[in-house]
Amino acid sequence: MTNKKIVFSGIQPSGVIHLGNYLGAIKQWIDLQDKYFSIFCIVDMHAITVQQEPEELQKNIRELAAIYLASGLDPKKAIIFVQSDVSAHTELAWVLNCNTQMGELERMTQFKDKSQRHKQNINAGLFTYPALMAADILLYQTNKVPVGEDQRQHVELTRDIAHRVNNKYGQVFEEPEALLPEVGARIMGLDDPTSKMSKSASSGNNYIAMTDEPDKIRKKIMKAVTDSGSEVKFDEEKKPAISNLLTIYSLVTEKNIKSLEKEYAGKGYGDFKKGLAEAVVEFIEPIQKKYKEYIDDQPKLEKILTNGAKEAAKLAQPTMENVRKVVGLGVAND
Ligand code: AMP
Ligand code: TRP
């Protein structure tokens, strides 16, 4: 289908999209779409592994699509679509489920985490979630999967599953690799620099949502936890909070951390946070402006996603047909 290497990634439309999602994942995608054959998905089937309100889910899908586009993903360069619009994802997921061991799934930290948090709904989908993610990736003969640190384990499992299927049935899948950003693969919570920024955090002060109003952003940053001492210095061990804020500052301004340390030498945390707040606002405002344009033009949004789904379905077909053939499934032709 193409000589270029193939990139695939996705985000769940399950609530706010925060700066960690942007810096860990989307930021890389923007650059990758120029060099690679890129496919970016809104993984709504993954989102229903936890309880979702139908109207909310529809709204979240559209909002996430608008964030993708407003961030700079370009439907002329990349395929952008919604997972459930291409049925091959769930079809392949079943076959991969039958090639994945319970023990492998039991080791997944995201499952352990989520089953702790949703004790009243530990459904089978939550458990086999990584097999669906493997299907997303393997369906397109993907080479690289740009994600944040927390998804590395899932991509490694995907690679193991691909390898196992290839050993059993011959060359069926490309064996993909995770692509992590050098800086920003794990943005920490503003209210707790020992755990990652997360949409499921108990307090909204944990994260900056991509849609937070400028004043809200300023307030959240001014409230962010800091470390003891007063020097603005990158030291992940002794100064985890300031190091996290420096990382964010550096990524939104493209200034390196050393030069930021110099800029704030002799100044206190207060000045530093003020500077950071303005830098984040300056970075997010143009994205929010474009976001609003996409949200206000639903027909355009739907057209992009519909076209994306058509293209994705076409690309997925040869892999799915081959899987059916090598596994020995089905009888009907056309
Ligand atoms: P999710 O919100 O779990 O669907 O994650 C979407 C993408 O954002 C994945 O590639 C994650 O690895 C990435 N991501 C989520 N949280 C963070 C974070 N705190 N720092 C960096 N990347 C993150
Ligand atoms: N599991 C990923 C997350 O929670 C989302 C995801 C689903 C994904 N399918 C994918 C990421 C395929 C990369 C490639 O963030």
Side-chain angles (χ1 to χ4, degrees):
M1 65 189 189
T2 169
N3 296 326
K4 287 186 187 169
K5 294 269 186 212
I6 299 167
V7 156
F8 183 100
S9 196
I11 298 181
Q12 301 184 59
S14 52
V16 291
I17 298 305
H18 54 67
L19 202 55
N21 296 132
Y22 184 92
L23 299 175
I26 302 175
K27 190 172 192 287
Q28 298 197 78
W29 305 356
I30 312 294
D31 301 329
L32 291 167
Q33 66 180 345
D34 291 318
K35 271 201 270 158
Y36 293 87
F37 189 96
S38 302
I39 309 172
F40 299 115
C41 190
I42 292 162
V43 290
D44 55 347
M45 287 291 196
H46 279 105
I48 63 168
T49 55
V50 303
Q51 192 66 43
Q52 304 286 343
E53 286 301 321
E55 293 86 27
E56 256 317 275
L57 183 57
Q58 264 296 308
K59 190 164 146 269
N60 286 339
I61 292 171
R62 286 152 201 270
E63 288 180 359
L64 182 52
I67 294 276
Y68 279 11
L69 295 163
S71 302
L73 292 186
D74 180 350
K76 289 196 202 78
K77 296 182 188 166
I79 297 175
I80 301 167
F81 75 107
V82 180
Q83 185 186 35
S84 65
D85 285 333
V86 179
S87 57
H89 287 250
T90 41
E91 187 181 355
L92 181 59
W94 180 256
V95 177
L96 299 183
N97 262 314
C98 299
N99 285 278
T100 305
Q101 298 300 307
M102 298 283 283
E104 289 177 306
L105 296 171
E106 274 158 8
R107 280 198 292 278
M108 296 294 115
T109 49
Q110 185 170 310
F111 171 70
K112 288 189 222 166
D113 237 42
K114 285 199 179 171
S115 51
Q116 275 297 314
R117 271 191 281 120
H118 302 274
K119 282 210 170 91
Q120 70 307 344
N121 184 22
I122 306 178
N123 62 78
L126 189 65
F127 187 60
T128 64
Y129 171 118
L132 177 58
M133 175 159 164
D136 299 339
I137 296 167
L138 300 180
L139 204 44
Y140 301 97
Q141 304 295 336
T142 301
N143 305 97
K144 305 270 182 199
V145 187
V147 283
E149 170 64 40
D150 62 342
Q151 295 301 316
R152 186 204 291 268
Q153 194 184 31
H154 287 157
V155 180
E156 275 165 14
L157 176 60
T158 299
R159 194 180 164 79
D160 292 344
I161 297 171
H163 191 70
R164 179 172 313 143
V165 170
N166 287 346
N167 272 341
K168 208 153 138 189
Y169 300 107
Q171 179 63 35
V172 180
F173 298 127
E174 198 56 53
E175 294 175 21
E177 272 174 19
L179 196 64
L180 269 63
E182 270 170 46
V183 182
R186 192 170 161 82
I187 299 294
M188 308 310 264
L190 297 181
D191 60 348
D192 174 11
T194 61
S195 61
K196 65 169 187 176
M197 183 176 284
S198 163
K199 54 185 145 202
S200 49
S202 54
S203 156
N205 288 331
N206 171 272
Y207 55 77
I208 307 274
M210 294 302 289
T211 48
D212 274 346
E213 301 273 330
D215 269 345
K216 199 165 183 185
I217 295 177
R218 291 187 183 100
K219 271 195 202 118
K220 286 185 181 181
I221 291 178
M222 294 317 286
K223 270 201 197 139
V225 165
T226 49
D227 308 294
S228 56
S230 61
E231 204 189 351
V232 177
K233 198 171 176 325
F234 190 90
D235 182 336
E236 277 179 318
E237 247 170 49
K238 294 199 190 106
K239 292 193 169 233
I242 295 298
S243 301
N244 185 45
L245 297 180
L246 271 169
T247 301
I248 296 173
Y249 207 150
S250 161
L251 288 167
V252 299
T253 56
E254 312 272 341
K255 289 183 189 171
N256 67 42
I257 287 178
K258 280 268 156 293
S259 76
L260 287 168
E261 284 175 346
K262 249 190 230 146
E263 196 176 324
Y264 287 97
K267 297 184 187 156
Y269 291 158
D271 282 341
F272 170 65
K273 280 179 164 184
K274 267 189 210 138
L276 171 62
E278 289 321 307
V280 172
V281 167
E282 210 171 290
F283 164 80
I284 272 187
E285 268 187 329
I287 298 179
Q288 292 186 342
K289 197 162 158 267
K290 284 195 219 132
Y291 170 79
K292 199 170 172 313
E293 286 166 19
Y294 281 108
I295 284 292
D296 290 344
D297 191 349
Q298 290 288 320
K300 183 172 174 184
L301 203 65
E302 281 168 23
K303 188 153 177 261
I304 291 170
L305 296 174
T306 306
N307 284 341
K310 276 189 200 145
E311 280 182 73
K314 233 187 282 160
L315 291 171
Q317 203 184 351
T319 300
M320 200 57 237
E321 272 173 14
N322 190 35
V323 168
R324 290 169 65 88
K325 184 173 126 238
V326 297
V327 177
L329 296 165
V331 185
N333 38 40
D334 67 59

